[in-house]
Amino acid sequence: MLLYQLPDDILYLVLYYLDCKSLSRLSQVCKKIHTFVNRDAVWRSIARECINTGMTRQGTDMYPQIPLKDRVRVSQNWRRGHHRKEVLLKWKTNLLPWIQLDRDVLYLSQAADIGAYHLRVEGGRIRRPAAVYSGHREDVCRFVLTDTHLISAGGDGKIIAHHRWGRQWVEFSGHGQEVNCVDSQGGVIVSGSRDRTARVWTLSSEQLGGCLYTIPMLDRVWSVAISPSQSSFVTGTACCENPTPLRIWDTERSCVMQWEEPHDCALYCIQSDGNHMIASGSSYYGVVRLWDKRHTRCLQSFQLSPSTSSPVYCLRFNTSHLYTALATALFALDFRGHVTKVRR
């Protein structure tokens, strides 16, 4: 009996013991084997162990429209540093942009504007943005995307909420100096500023544009993050006047937990896994720390770039990894303590 003549369940069991390289070679044997090996069910167990394939450990597929074999191939290229250099955008100003990818649209800030660029274009380089979000009089410091709005924070001390599919926008005024950070969940906005305050705003029609309350801080606020349940939010400060820059606040504006930063560094970015874990990125030494709300001390720390003082600018969780961006590289951290450089 030939291999492809085996019953499907037996063949699945045999292929389960092969790695991705062996499966790829097997698919070249004949057309029938090629068709069978390309099924998502064959690659599902491998995809769960790979970075950024959209497969959660619980088995949920976040991107069912893309074949799992292709996602595993891309994941392996990222892990090994294999990539193709391609210039999508160029600009003349020497500014570090804030970027965010939403499906096939790349949002990128340049000076006081934010451009939305469709990545699926013919002929290589992207020439013009499909949409431009304006309104700030000074540079955009940071922005965040929700299902309905693009919310930006600027050096002019203002926050602007643009409707993503219309021309309407709302301006939030209240900070006395530049707004360094902003986050939004479920119609609630939290912002932090150089003026040493964190402010909570609402997108509801009854109080649109109004500040719900202000929290005085001892330091400049560099990063904020709202919990998915909207019951609390986290702030990260400059660590100049207070040795505990990482704090959790509840809806009553009370600080319910605070942690000391061992290196006395400003916390440039904060990210939560939506449960008990919080990750913070420091302004020096490329250090990422993991914190658990149930513990009083740092759970784990990673020094990603010991030979440089590059700050950590961005953090992103998925179900099995934490992705962190320095000025020089992108790293993937799994929660067993392994660090992988995924981009050269």
Side-chain angles (χ1 to χ4, degrees):
M1 179 180 288
L2 299 176
L3 181 64
Y4 62 80
Q5 293 176 326
L6 291 171
D8 284 2
D9 53 347
I10 300 298
L11 192 51
Y12 280 129
L13 181 61
V14 172
L15 299 183
Y16 176 81
Y17 294 96
L18 299 182
D19 59 18
C20 57
K21 184 180 291 187
S22 300
L23 284 174
S24 299
R25 289 175 176 173
L26 181 63
S27 67
Q28 300 173 20
V29 171
C30 66
K31 289 183 178 180
K32 290 185 177 180
I33 292 292
H34 176 82
T35 301
F36 190 92
V37 170
N38 281 358
R39 295 180 182 180
D40 281 358
V42 174
W43 294 89
R44 195 173 301 277
S45 60
I46 295 177
R48 289 181 184 177
E49 303 302 322
C50 294
I51 61 173
N52 204 26
T53 58
M55 284 293 300
T56 67
R57 291 192 180 274
Q58 292 74 29
T60 305
D61 191 348
M62 299 171 62
Y63 309 106
Q65 69 277 13
I66 305 174
L68 269 178
K69 179 181 177 181
D70 293 341
R71 285 182 267 164
V72 170
R73 175 178 53 81
V74 173
S75 174
Q76 294 298 315
N77 289 339
W78 274 90
R79 180 180 290 276
R80 296 165 184 158
H82 299 159
H83 63 282
R84 180 180 62 189
K85 290 185 178 181
E86 184 177 348
V87 178
L88 292 177
L89 292 166
K90 281 189 175 182
W91 53 85
K92 296 180 180 179
T93 54
N94 295 322
L95 296 173
L96 182 67
W98 188 258
I99 61 175
Q100 188 163 340
L101 183 65
D102 182 55
R103 299 181 184 273
D104 62 341
V105 179
L106 179 69
Y107 293 83
L108 181 143
S109 66
Q110 277 295 290
D113 298 328
I114 300 170
Y117 299 85
H118 287 286
L119 298 183
R120 295 180 181 177
V121 296
E122 300 294 335
R125 186 179 300 175
I126 302 170
R127 300 292 179 180
R128 297 179 180 177
V132 176
Y133 302 88
S134 305
H136 289 286
R137 293 191 295 271
E138 296 185 25
D139 294 347
V140 173
C141 299
R142 193 167 295 190
F143 63 86
V144 62
L145 291 171
T146 69
D147 292 339
T148 57
H149 289 80
L150 184 153
I151 302 165
S152 58
D156 53 4
K158 299 184 182 298
I159 301 163
I160 297 179
H162 299 269
H163 198 283
R164 291 177 62 179
W165 298 283
R167 297 180 179 272
Q168 303 90 354
W169 56 278
V170 179
E171 182 179 292
F172 298 78
S173 301
H175 284 293
Q177 298 183 45
E178 66 186 58
V179 185
N180 296 321
C181 50
V182 65
D183 194 18
S184 180
Q185 293 275 356
V188 176
I189 301 172
V190 175
S191 60
S193 171
R194 184 181 285 271
D195 66 3
R196 302 187 178 194
T197 64
R199 296 177 184 263
V200 179
W201 318 77
T202 180
L203 281 171
S204 67
S205 56
E206 293 80 8
Q207 297 174 289
L208 189 61
C211 179
L212 297 180
Y213 50 83
T214 301
I215 300 177
M217 311 287 284
L218 296 175
D219 275 329
R220 294 166 291 174
V221 184
W222 281 107
S223 51
V224 294
I226 308 176
S227 67
S229 64
Q230 304 169 44
S231 60
S232 62
F233 63 92
V234 187
T235 58
T237 60
C239 202
C240 295
E241 302 294 334
N242 194 310
T244 56
L246 188 62
R247 296 184 177 187
I248 299 179
W249 307 83
D250 62 14
T251 53
E252 302 298 325
R253 290 168 282 177
S254 301
C255 179
V256 296
M257 181 165 274
Q258 56 186 351
W259 290 286
E260 185 174 352
E261 162 58 40
H263 284 168
D264 293 336
C265 295
L267 301 183
Y268 274 4
C269 52
I270 294 173
Q271 184 68 231
S272 172
D273 69 342
N275 193 14
H276 296 294
M277 193 176 296
I278 297 172
S280 64
S282 66
S283 58
Y284 290 104
Y285 314 119
V287 174
V288 173
R289 301 188 193 278
L290 296 180
W291 313 81
D292 191 313
K293 298 177 185 178
R294 299 163 295 184
H295 297 273
T296 58
R297 295 182 180 273
C298 175
L299 191 67
Q300 197 169 6
S301 64
F302 304 88
Q303 189 163 11
L304 302 178
S305 188
S307 61
T308 180
S309 60
S310 174
V312 180
Y313 287 112
C314 182
L315 296 167
R316 284 291 183 269
F317 270 103
N318 73 3
T319 55
S320 58
H321 288 80
L322 170 69
Y323 294 92
T324 175
L326 281 72
T328 55
L330 179 67
F331 294 86
L333 319 177
D334 68 22
F335 304 127
R336 296 169 295 179
H338 299 155
V339 180
T340 304
K341 186 175 181 181
V342 296
R343 190 80 177 194
R344 286 177 179 158

